[in-house]
Amino acid sequence: MSIEPVALEKLYHRCDPEQFAFKTTDELENLSEFIGQSRAVDAIHFGVDIRHDGYNVFALGDPATGKLSLIRELLRLRASKEDVPPDICYVYNFDEAHKPRHLVIPPGKGKSLARDMEQLVEEVRNALRAAFESEEYQNRQQSISQELQEQQEKAFGELQKKGEAYNLAPLRTPAGLVFAPVRDGEVMPPDEFKKLPDAERKKIEEKAEELQQEAMKIFQKIPQWERKMREKRRNLNREITGFTVGPVIDELRRKYEDIADVLSYLDAVEKDIIRNVRNFFQPDAGQQKEEASMPVPSSGTVGPDGRGENPALRRYKLNILVENSGSEGAPVVFEQNPSYQNLVGRVEHMAHMGALVTDFNMIRPGALHKASGGYLILDGLKLLQQPFAWEGLKQALKTREIRIESLGQMYGFISTVSLEPQPLPLNVKVVLLGSPMLYYLIRHYDPEFGELFKVAADFDYRMDRTPENEQSYTRLIATMARKHRLRPFDRTGVARIIEQGSRMVEDGRKLSVLMRVICDLLKEADYWAGKNGSGTVGAAEVQKAVDTAIHRSDRLREMVHEQIQRDIVLIDSTGDKVGQVNGLSVIQLGDFAFGRPSRITARIHLGKGDVVDIEREVAMGGPIHSKGVLILAGFLNGRFAVDHPLSLSASLVFEQSYSGVEGDSASSAELYALLSAIADVPIKQSLAVTGSVNQHGIIQPIGGVNEKIEGFFDVCRSRGLTGDQGVLIPSSNVDHLMLRRDVIDAAADGKFRIYAVKTIDQGIEILTGISAGTADAEGNYPAESVNGKVHARLKEMAEKRIAFGRKMQGEKKEDA
């Protein structure tokens, strides 16, 4: 059979610039739709539209596809049509101070209420000062004090009258109140009292004791009278406070009458002010205590946030976590650092006087608070890298509430008393970004993942290269150029970018939608246009950008090719060798890949039909490569060992490989080397081979076909192109060809050839120049064909093995 080289027009899927009607991209409109991602866009729309629990979205795909920008834009368009979510505030809990309450109020009302509460405190303070300094209040206070004084005077006056009736007078001593006998208006000296008759003295002592007991009863009643007095004063203070505060708070009630939670909060504020009116007479930190007739004030301190203020009045403030007064539509939040606290919020503490202090004003919001009522976008990998963040997000989505908890308290790391803010209801759609591997790993190892993220938006890295899509691609280029303020691209520049888009995805019938990579190419081409002083960007500038990007990354490639050129790494590009073939592999270095030829050799000897993979034996071969070698044994047995056992042993090796070998793209090359060794037929070293093979001898497609061809071409060109050199590739890889211009030029001049083969028989004919041979009805091949030589050699080896086996059995009998 005769195999012709691949036609020149198939080596490069060219984009004709003449098909475009514009001269530069300035004439094109911006691209309004998203191209190449219809499946992912539909999934996102579905995940956003469906309003059931668990229908959050995981966007999987290469980050260079621009999925973050696409998702942001889709969510922004959707969010702009939705209602603005309410403001979220925390306020003091007057019943349980360590459990702050939340207020969820209409957007914009939070800031207004916060100002009103600050004004309320100031107005109440001034009004209370005026009320408690008023003459009416002082008179009523004095009346209460006089009432107590009169009650005490009355009781002691009655006691004194009784004493006078008994000629006894009260005296105050360090031991307390005592009664002494009186004669002629004077207290009787002790000596005279002792001279009195016993009966009279005893009677006086009894009366004095009786009066003293009554005095003790009066003293015991004084604390009760004082408590009653203090209660009257408190009632007076409450009465004055209620009259003073009521009108001010009533004004706020009228302003917020349509918000039930605010009305409830104002009721609690009013009760607390009346109950703790003394707080309004504590001076702010740094201020002097004012002189006034009012309840005794206590000293002011510095608040937990470090500001000089009355800490007792901080309870009437509003801590606004989320304020949406200036928002239009629902929020779209992208949290770049999704730590646990950045997601669910935190309670801050501050060192003050040797202790950590906090209050509800130091509660800080997380991304879930900011996105509540809208959409939250998170990087999945960063989320999983943060301790407890993934569990915190799942807990919030499962319970549909945001619970701010201290990790230290949660896990018993610290015993500091902290706050327990009231959990907030959560209404949010979460979009996670990640690679396909990350998506499937989480789905496999976390059973809760599928319940919470039921929608997978799968972003493709390529799209079909159709005339319609090429036209859309031109508008995409125009849009990117305007967005990044680049020079306009002419038709040749646009066509070259489209061609490079096919090269990026290694398929002439596809286009890359890796937006970041395309954008980088546009920027670099614009740079070289600026260096050339050109007002537009053409094909030359785009090619310059491609070449310089390769040059920045190809140091290792040059080193490898230098080693081949200096025969440090042995690669033949001329002559014929038995059991030796040039295989092709690809080395991937980040975004840069290059082809590297490798010498593959095969040796055979009489054996039991096993093919030894030396790479596998020394643990340098991966499982896929080992599978490819085992397939070779299946091919040999199926084709040549139907009527007799396969009686050879073979060894295969990648010569001078000092790192691991993986993949099956060299399995056809290994089979060619094996067939050459068995048939003792030399293989042309001017040709290199790539492609995997199955047990039926069919050549299968591989990856990196362009880099592999160019890698062998560079070796041959450095030694001088002879016209006999070339590469064998699978025929199914022809659509993937997007070769460099110098390779295509060499092929056009007949100096380098690319052959597309479908079977091992086609390949062995090209490599040896000998017919492969077709089996007749009895399974015999022409004697001079490659298959005939292989079949004859294997049959001969089988006979030798049988004869050798009989000989060994005979020797064993003689020994016995």
Side-chain angles (χ1 to χ4, degrees):
M1 63 183 70
S2 177
I3 304 295
E4 295 294 329
V6 177
L8 290 176
E9 62 271 13
K10 294 184 178 181
L11 299 180
Y12 190 83
H13 293 75
R14 184 172 177 269
C15 177
D16 185 6
E18 297 304 320
Q19 67 177 305
F20 303 128
F22 61 88
K23 291 184 178 179
T24 71
T25 53
D26 276 348
E27 302 172 23
L28 300 176
E29 296 180 355
N30 283 340
L31 186 67
S32 57
E33 69 275 7
F34 302 104
I35 63 172
Q37 303 293 357
S38 58
R39 179 183 289 103
V41 170
D42 290 344
I44 293 170
H45 282 310
F46 170 75
V48 169
D49 289 341
I50 189 169
R51 293 295 176 178
H52 292 284
D53 292 348
Y55 283 88
N56 298 294
V57 180
F58 193 106
L60 59 151
D62 194 307
T65 55
K67 60 184 178 182
L68 174 58
S69 300
L70 187 152
I71 290 170
R72 270 181 161 174
E73 183 63 18
L74 286 177
L75 296 182
R76 186 189 64 80
L77 293 173
R78 172 60 186 257
S80 64
K81 301 174 184 177
E82 298 181 359
D83 295 334
V84 178
D87 291 348
I88 301 174
C89 313
Y90 268 106
V91 296
Y92 186 78
N93 187 337
F94 299 105
D95 296 324
E96 296 179 278
H98 70 289
K99 295 182 178 181
R101 293 176 49 204
H102 64 67
L103 280 183
V104 179
I105 55 182
K109 295 292 187 179
K111 187 181 292 185
S112 172
L113 181 59
R115 288 195 301 266
D116 289 340
M117 289 304 298
E118 290 181 0
Q119 186 175 355
L120 169 72
V121 170
E122 190 61 29
E123 289 181 0
V124 167
R125 174 185 284 185
N126 294 333
L128 288 176
R129 288 176 183 271
F132 283 100
E133 291 175 355
S134 66
E135 184 177 351
E136 178 185 358
Y137 174 76
Q138 298 299 328
N139 290 337
R140 295 182 64 177
Q141 280 275 51
Q142 187 175 359
S143 174
I144 294 172
S145 300
Q146 287 178 349
E147 182 180 348
L148 174 63
Q149 184 178 355
E150 290 173 356
Q151 195 171 12
Q152 291 178 352
E153 289 177 353
K154 180 180 178 182
F156 282 108
E158 292 176 354
L159 185 62
Q160 187 173 0
K161 288 180 180 179
K162 287 184 179 181
E164 290 176 354
Y166 300 132
N167 293 320
L168 293 173
L171 296 178
R172 293 185 180 275
T173 68
L177 189 66
V178 297
F179 286 86
V182 177
R183 178 176 291 177
D184 298 331
E186 297 291 337
V187 175
M188 185 181 298
D191 294 340
E192 292 185 11
F193 180 72
K194 290 179 180 180
K195 295 177 181 180
L196 293 176
D198 291 341
E200 184 179 356
R201 191 173 62 248
K202 184 176 180 181
K203 183 179 180 180
I204 292 173
E205 289 177 350
E206 290 176 354
K207 293 297 181 181
E209 180 65 23
E210 181 182 339
L211 291 176
Q212 197 159 356
Q213 291 296 326
E214 290 187 20
M216 289 295 297
K217 291 179 181 179
I218 294 174
F219 282 121
Q220 289 175 353
K221 290 180 180 180
I222 288 177
Q224 297 178 0
W225 296 340
E226 289 179 346
R227 281 197 298 272
K228 289 181 180 180
M229 180 198 68
R230 287 194 296 271
E231 183 61 29
K232 288 182 179 181
R233 285 178 175 172
R234 280 195 294 268
N235 291 335
L236 174 61
N237 291 342
R238 292 192 185 104
E239 179 184 346
I240 297 298
T241 304
F243 284 128
T244 304
V245 174
V248 182
I249 293 185
D250 286 342
E251 186 177 346
L252 288 184
R253 288 193 181 99
R254 289 190 293 271
K255 185 175 181 179
Y256 298 98
E257 61 184 356
D258 55 340
I259 308 175
D261 286 347
V262 174
L263 295 179
S264 174
Y265 170 64
L266 292 176
D267 290 342
V269 168
E270 182 177 20
K271 292 178 182 178
D272 188 74
I273 292 176
I274 293 173
R275 188 166 54 245
N276 300 287
V277 66
R278 292 172 63 92
N279 293 336
F280 284 84
F281 300 99
Q282 295 179 4
D284 294 341
Q287 295 180 348
Q288 296 295 326
K289 182 175 66 175
E290 298 181 3
E291 295 293 337
S293 298
M294 57 185 68
V296 179
S298 61
S299 60
T301 59
V302 178
D305 60 356
R307 295 179 297 174
E309 61 179 349
N310 185 342
L313 300 185
R314 283 173 58 85
R315 65 176 66 188
Y316 305 118
K317 286 178 171 289
L318 248 72
N319 181 8
I320 304 176
L321 265 66
V322 179
E323 201 276 320
N324 292 309
S325 61
S327 302
E328 296 181 2
V332 178
V333 177
F334 173 57
E335 178 54 57
Q336 297 189 16
N337 181 26
S339 65
Y340 176 83
Q341 290 186 331
N342 286 351
L343 280 178
V344 302
R346 64 191 184 278
V347 178
E348 293 182 345
H349 293 74
M350 186 174 182
H352 175 65
M353 302 294 290
L356 291 176
V357 294
T358 187
D359 65 9
F360 75 97
N361 288 286
M362 301 185 76
I363 300 173
R364 300 294 178 257
L368 288 170
H369 296 93
K370 299 172 185 176
S372 187
Y375 307 92
L376 175 61
I377 307 172
L378 300 170
D379 185 298
L381 181 59
K382 291 182 179 178
L383 179 69
L384 292 173
Q385 289 173 337
Q386 296 288 345
F388 311 107
W390 174 241
E391 292 299 324
L393 176 65
K394 288 196 302 180
Q395 185 67 20
L397 294 178
K398 285 189 294 185
T399 60
R400 296 184 63 82
E401 65 179 19
I402 311 171
R403 185 180 296 274
I404 302 177
E405 295 180 293
S406 165
L407 288 175
Q409 282 187 304
M410 189 187 308
Y411 292 94
F413 297 151
I414 58 175
S415 59
T416 303
V417 176
S418 186
L419 302 181
E420 298 178 19
Q422 182 184 6
L424 275 160
L426 176 64
N427 175 28
V428 69
K429 283 282 186 179
V430 178
V431 179
L432 283 186
L433 309 178
S435 66
M437 180 179 289
L438 181 66
Y439 171 78
Y440 292 113
L441 282 174
I442 302 175
R443 192 169 185 86
H444 178 74
Y445 287 106
D446 191 339
E448 294 178 329
F449 176 74
E451 300 176 6
L452 299 175
F453 290 88
K454 298 183 178 182
V455 181
D458 196 350
F459 281 76
D460 201 350
Y461 67 95
R462 62 182 187 173
M463 68 178 184
D464 293 335
R465 183 177 168 181
T466 63
E468 295 78 11
N469 283 344
E470 285 187 350
Q471 294 293 336
S472 297
Y473 221 72
T474 62
R475 292 175 58 197
L476 173 65
I477 294 170
T479 304
M480 286 185 170
R482 292 193 189 99
K483 179 180 178 180
H484 298 283
R485 299 180 181 179
L486 308 179
R487 294 170 179 80
F489 286 70
D490 64 21
R491 288 182 292 186
T492 64
V494 170
R496 182 65 189 88
I497 291 170
I498 290 175
E499 293 168 354
Q500 186 64 20
S502 291
R503 167 77 182 217
M504 291 175 187
V505 295
E506 299 182 349
D507 195 334
R509 295 187 179 182
K510 300 288 183 179
L511 282 172
S512 170
V513 287
L514 297 177
M515 300 302 175
R516 186 181 66 195
V517 180
I518 297 168
C519 187
D520 290 345
L521 178 59
L522 298 182
K523 293 175 181 177
E524 293 174 25
D526 174 77
Y527 168 81
W528 291 113
K531 284 290 186 180
N532 296 337
S534 176
T536 59
V537 185
E541 287 78 19
V542 176
Q543 187 60 49
K544 178 72 171 178
V546 172
D547 294 341
T548 53
I550 292 174
H551 180 68
R552 292 195 296 270
S553 304
D554 70 347
R555 182 189 63 82
L556 184 58
R557 181 183 69 170
E558 288 187 358
M559 184 183 72
V560 170
H561 288 168
E562 180 187 1
Q563 290 175 336
I564 294 174
Q565 182 66 23
R566 295 170 58 189
D567 290 331
I568 298 172
V569 174
L570 301 178
I571 298 292
D572 291 333
S573 57
T574 58
D576 302 329
K577 292 287 179 67
V578 174
Q580 178 176 304
V581 69
N582 291 321
L584 297 172
S585 59
V586 172
I587 296 177
Q588 187 77 39
L589 301 172
D591 294 332
F592 176 66
F594 66 92
R596 175 186 183 274
S598 300
R599 174 180 287 180
I600 300 173
T601 60
R603 298 297 299 271
I604 65 165
H605 56 86
L606 198 65
K608 298 180 181 180
D610 53 336
V611 178
V612 176
D613 176 14
I614 295 178
E615 307 292 340
R616 180 182 62 184
E617 295 299 317
V618 296
M620 291 179 64
I624 298 177
H625 176 260
S626 299
K627 174 187 174 183
V629 174
L630 294 175
I631 287 174
L632 306 186
F635 171 82
L636 293 176
N637 279 294
R639 175 173 285 194
F640 302 112
V642 177
D643 299 326
H644 54 79
L646 191 62
S647 302
L648 90 162
S649 288
S651 60
L652 291 167
V653 69
F654 278 72
E655 304 287 359
Q656 293 182 283
S657 67
Y658 305 106
S659 58
V661 177
E662 178 60 312
D664 63 350
S665 64
S667 58
S668 65
E670 292 171 318
L671 183 53
Y672 292 136
L674 190 56
L675 292 174
S676 170
I678 296 171
D680 198 24
V681 174
I683 287 177
K684 298 175 183 178
Q685 300 302 296
S686 59
L687 298 174
V689 177
T690 185
S692 67
V693 65
N694 63 21
Q695 292 189 107
H696 298 283
I698 306 299
I699 304 297
Q700 302 169 141
I702 43 80
V705 63
N706 295 294
E707 289 82 1
K708 291 176 178 179
I709 294 172
E710 291 163 357
F712 189 67
F713 172 80
D714 290 337
V715 171
C716 295
R717 182 178 58 180
S718 64
R719 294 175 173 176
L721 296 173
T722 64
D724 295 327
Q725 293 131 334
V727 175
L728 277 66
I729 66 170
S731 59
S732 49
N733 277 124
V734 171
D735 284 342
H736 303 152
L737 293 177
M738 292 294 296
L739 294 169
R740 288 192 328 234
R741 174 53 54 187
D742 54 350
V743 180
I744 298 172
D745 291 342
D749 295 338
K751 297 180 178 180
F752 195 80
R753 294 178 173 84
I754 292 93
Y755 297 95
V757 296
K758 295 182 179 179
T759 65
I760 284 293
D761 290 338
Q762 291 179 344
I764 200 66
E765 285 191 4
I766 297 172
L767 290 169
T768 62
I770 302 174
S771 172
T774 304
D776 57 20
E778 297 178 357
N780 297 317
Y781 295 90
E784 296 303 317
S785 67
V786 175
N787 286 329
K789 292 177 181 291
V790 172
H791 189 260
R793 182 74 178 276
L794 291 176
K795 186 175 182 180
E796 177 188 352
M797 296 178 76
E799 292 172 351
K800 288 182 178 181
R801 180 184 173 190
I802 292 172
F804 181 77
R806 289 172 179 171
K807 179 181 176 182
M808 294 297 295
Q809 288 180 356
E811 291 177 355
K812 287 182 179 179
K813 288 181 180 180
E814 291 178 1
D815 291 341

